[in-house]
Amino acid sequence: MSTERLIYLPLGGAGEIGMNAYVYGYGKPGKERLIVVDLGVTFPDMDTTPGVDLIMPDITWLRERKDQIEGVFITHAHEDHIGAVSHLYGELEAPIYARAFTANLCRRKMEERGHPVDAVTTVSAWPEVTKLGPFTIGVAPMSHSIPESGALVIDTAAGRVVHTGDFKLDPNPLVGEPFDPDMWAEIAKDGVQALVCDSTNVFSPNPGRSESELPDEITKLVAGCSGLVAATTFASNVARVKTLADAGERAGRSVVLLGRAMNRMIEAAKETGVLTDFPRTYSAEEAGDIPRDNLMLITTGSQGERRAATAQLARGKYRGLELKDGDTFLFSSKTIPGNERGVIYIMNQLSEKGVDVVDDRGGLYHVSGHANGPDLERLHDIIKPKMMIPMHGEHRHLRQHAKLATAKGMASAVVVNGMLMDLTGDAPKVADYVETGRQYLDGSVRIGALDGIIRDRIRMALNGHIVVTVILDEDDEPLGEPWCDVRGLPELGKSNAALVDILEEDLNQFLMRAGAKTLRDDDKLEDNLRRITRQTTRDEIGKKPEVSVIVSRMR
Amino acid sequence: MSTERLIYLPLGGAGEIGMNAYVYGYGKPGKERLIVVDLGVTFPDMDTTPGVDLIMPDITWLRERKDQIEGVFITHAHEDHIGAVSHLYGELEAPIYARAFTANLCRRKMEERGHPVDAVTTVSAWPEVTKLGPFTIGVAPMSHSIPESGALVIDTAAGRVVHTGDFKLDPNPLVGEPFDPDMWAEIAKDGVQALVCDSTNVFSPNPGRSESELPDEITKLVAGCSGLVAATTFASNVARVKTLADAGERAGRSVVLLGRAMNRMIEAAKETGVLTDFPRTYSAEEAGDIPRDNLMLITTGSQGERRAATAQLARGKYRGLELKDGDTFLFSSKTIPGNERGVIYIMNQLSEKGVDVVDDRGGLYHVSGHANGPDLERLHDIIKPKMMIPMHGEHRHLRQHAKLATAKGMASAVVVNGMLMDLTGDAPKVADYVETGRQYLDGSVRIGALDGIIRDRIRMALNGHIVVTVILDEDDEPLGEPWCDVRGLPELGKSNAALVDILEEDLNQFLMRAGAKTLRDDDKLEDNLRRITRQTTRDEIGKKPEVSVIVSRMR
């Protein structure tokens, strides 16, 4: 009979940045009791997921083991860690655990989707622990770009695992707890079986910088501005929002928070006591009565999101506020790869209005929330784990991080989504490969990444769409002529006649000549009509369109 | 009667980076003789131009003044300056002038599209000049990231204009002429009416770095590699390709150029004498017989282009060559904003193969081809123009560059595409606004950016497409039931029945109840069918699809 084992299985977040979802298990093979760490989303883009609303991990494996799940722990409230919780709750129905600020935001999400808010339990920070089945789990404070980020300290009979969540080594994060090397040394002192560790910034060669390096520069910048000042950052970066607000207040400006997420985050931070001395804020309506030179707007949309406050201000008025020549707009943020075009578009719209755009100026007005290469090594040195498993990174990050660990004598492995690892021994061992993937929230429906629906959308976008309709009478003879609906394609082709006319003529020619055998056979008829449509379109306009053929028989 | 004037009109490249096309004119208003400087393309993306092959400037204004055009000058052979020449030649039929290397590449393009290669005239560098109507035009060498980039020195009775083209101040560009401050001082000594100047890197605060700073580092890197070494850069950066090839040769590796553009560029550079001592190269077939540790591949596709050699090597085999664990891949390039996702995707594919990816490491293995802020000021100081017109930049670049000039006492203005400027006086004056825009090459057809075709493609990609077909008999009564073709949408909605069935039922219900007045009225009928289709789809799956309605009457 097989013995108990400790397993680790990433379902999202390992081999990508985003959509974090990790599973730990302890027990006899196949009978493990499970805990889930984070259930995040990732965001769609036009290139690969047009029209999709959200991307979530495929949790089929978990759903099939629903009864084995002890609970879901959320390390922090960034969307790539918390975003799928309420969407997937109905399938897992497992209790959710998080620290107060994260739990507050999680309950809001649960409520929005009609799930019970008391499924969310607030836990206190380490050294308090939660016992669930074979697990004893503590949430130990880690500094990050959001309050109350927590690393999990997971104890089982197979030893201690530290799952870092997202972190940086910030001695003074301004809001929330600093990184505490003594606490971590204490946690690690009896040995750590496995450190499962954030890899995002592994390629950054210098030690990371503290949030506390920014207020002086930001205050100086805002103090030197005339006109209206606006600034954007991630709403969840409560410390940064506070720094911006403080800078505004110090410059004698009234602070206005714009955007739903911005207001919700600050509200949650105040409600949970994370944020105590935030400047008085004014509503957009109140701002109308304040001279614009005395305003400091703090807005959502630092990544160029089209519906966020920043994009709306760049386009024109937003809630009665408008930017003008001589105003200043600060991007206190870094652009996430892939969002450059959207952000640059907004910067140019602002430039057209005469607004001076200030970006992070190579770090003067922004610091990262993740540990850099040397910081990762410092944590390795404090924790001294038997094995180090890199997570929260693309393949190249995981690979580099694993190299780093191996070079220092730790066991390590590049573990990507779907690799079920046995962490019980001296080194991580692959125990199984689990089918994983992505599912999409599309409107109100969940679809699979491989359902072909998105592929069809992409093809229509690249090639246009032609629908050919043919009606046949009771004797399988064409009833009238075929007709085409052409969408997303040029009207005129090389014959200088309407493409649709040429298509209909070619299709009609074919139908008139087609034998009874072809006309009777749906598949044959459709294949021929499709082939002719593609060929004629290619001749006329040099493109091979997507073609739907509808054969309707009057029987 | 009005006097003669000097005009400047950007049709592309001013307010954007890409698609350069500038017009200068001299003569009486409306009767000016014209020269065109550059006819470039810009590249489509899925967000805004799905399915499009190339983006070119709308040259309606020029076409309508075809008889006034003296010639087209191409400053250098980057696609955003030369790419549209052969596509638009048929409409302008104006002679083309360029230096030897640029002319060589231009002739290849003309030939490919069946245009006369003798429409392209090779001109020698300054002080040689070409006289065309009221213009005397010289092409003065400028250092850039391609050989033989030239600034134009355009003399008319209204004074001298210097149009920089793309440039940097490189004292040692390795291939091609260095920046020559003495020549430029000489050109400027009798006064320059207007400097029309590259703005790309205006936000870079430090002086630019020379191409000559790279060979040592690249040589060191390649010398330290075991396994196969591959490197990618822009094919047109002949100096860089040579540096990479030299580094390979010095490390005892056989050099293989992969990708059509790479081979074509090196061929053109050799043919025109720009490149004299390039290492011997081997074909992909020959490489098969060489130990892989002795190979140095230099590949196209530094921007992640899916069909280029780099992407193909990352996916699998390319012309018999394959990358493996322990190989090294150098990106000797910077990722152009918007291309990050594609490049990162490839880097991760390489990582999965065990290949060590080396990027530009913050400048160690790449330098920019454009003048930075301080370099621009240095050129201003040498040329001392009466007015400085920023070009080759997004709005924010032009604005910053104009500020720079104004602060130093030059007249300046932010001039974007379509602003027809009178440069005759002491300061640039807006003389007219010209309708400009973009046109797309889509398959073999040219379409306008505002034709609605691309908008339809984007909508189908975001919302899916449903085609509703209804047949009515001679009495305007429905003949059979309506049917729907659904594409790019989930099959099942909230009723857990097929969306298409529910739609057809709802539409049939409507038809059965519809009065004769509605059934007789095409518009009314279509509106109703569209409305029902959208409403039902929204209820079922939470999306509002694109809907085409086809009403066919058996008359």
Side-chain angles (χ1 to χ4, degrees), chain B residues 191-507:
Chain B
V192 168
Q193 176 70 9
L195 172 67
V196 181
C197 189
D198 181 1
S199 310
T200 315
N201 279 1
V202 65
F203 286 111
S204 300
N206 302 314
R209 294 164 55 228
S210 167
E211 188 69 31
S212 62
E213 294 184 32
L214 301 179
D216 283 355
E217 290 296 341
I218 289 177
T219 301
K220 211 192 308 175
L221 174 75
V222 176
C225 290
S226 51
L228 189 153
V229 178
T232 184
T233 189
F234 275 110
S236 55
N237 194 335
V238 173
R240 188 71 52 80
V241 176
K242 178 167 155 44
T243 294
L244 294 167
D246 287 344
E249 192 179 48
R250 256 171 236 149
R253 290 170 182 271
S254 300
V255 175
V256 183
L257 301 180
L258 290 179
R260 190 167 155 266
M262 191 61 76
N263 284 286
R264 191 177 46 186
M265 279 289 168
I266 297 306
E267 204 177 276
K270 285 180 183 167
E271 275 178 22
T272 52
V274 161
L275 194 58
T276 48
D277 53 343
F278 196 78
R280 178 181 163 191
T281 60
Y282 297 80
S283 69
E285 291 63 41
E286 291 170 318
D289 299 328
I290 300 169
R292 53 200 317 288
D293 296 5
N294 293 346
L295 286 176
M296 170 88 191
L297 315 181
I298 307 178
T299 63
T300 53
S302 66
Q303 298 304 310
E305 300 92 330
R306 283 187 199 185
R307 290 180 209 166
T310 297
Q312 297 207 45
L313 281 169
R315 274 199 293 273
K317 278 198 185 182
Y318 178 66
R319 303 190 57 199
L321 296 163
E322 193 171 11
L323 299 180
K324 289 187 188 161
D325 192 29
D327 293 343
T328 301
F329 204 110
L330 169 64
F331 282 76
S332 180
S333 55
K334 185 202 132 201
T335 306
I336 294 172
N339 296 341
E340 288 79 2
R341 278 205 184 108
V343 172
I344 288 173
Y345 185 77
I346 286 173
M347 288 180 170
N348 282 310
Q349 284 180 314
L350 292 169
S351 177
E352 284 169 29
K353 286 179 182 288
V355 175
D356 286 322
V357 175
V358 181
D359 63 17
D360 78 333
R361 295 272 161 85
L364 208 55
Y365 304 124
H366 178 68
V367 295
S368 171
H370 293 273
N372 289 354
D375 308 324
L376 294 173
E377 296 206 57
R378 195 174 148 212
L379 188 73
H380 298 169
D381 292 344
I382 295 172
I383 306 287
K384 296 189 192 71
K386 196 184 282 177
M387 54 185 91
M388 196 292 291
I389 314 282
M391 56 131 186
H392 203 284
E394 299 162 7
H395 193 282
R396 60 194 177 119
H397 301 114
L398 304 185
R399 187 163 170 269
Q400 177 70 14
H401 199 179
K403 271 190 187 181
L404 240 171
T406 310
K408 300 178 76 171
M410 287 170 266
S412 191
V414 174
V415 179
V416 297
N417 296 341
M419 287 171 70
L420 194 157
M421 306 300 293
D422 183 340
L423 305 184
T424 317
D426 287 329
K429 283 191 302 284
V430 181
D432 201 359
Y433 290 94
V434 168
E435 266 200 52
T436 55
R438 298 173 159 212
Q439 55 177 327
Y440 303 148
L441 179 69
D442 187 58
S444 55
V445 173
R446 220 88 73 61
I447 60 179
L450 305 175
D451 288 0
I453 295 162
I454 303 305
R455 184 199 58 205
D456 281 351
R457 283 189 203 159
I458 292 171
R459 286 184 179 168
M460 288 192 291
L462 294 174
N463 311 321
H465 187 204
I466 300 182
V467 181
V468 177
T469 307
V470 171
I471 309 173
L472 301 169
D473 66 15
E474 294 85 348
D475 305 319
D476 295 316
E477 288 292 325
L479 192 61
E481 300 187 353
W483 64 91
C484 296
D485 178 74
V486 175
R487 207 173 180 95
L489 292 169
E491 274 179 39
L492 294 179
K494 74 168 181 205
S495 312
N496 225 4
L499 172 63
V500 65
D501 292 342
I502 292 172
L503 279 170
E504 288 177 357
E505 196 182 312
D506 283 1
L507 293 167

Side-chain angles (χ1 to χ4, degrees), chain B residues 55 153 359 515 528 537:
Chain B
I55 303 173
V153 181
D359 63 17
N528 275 291
T537 308

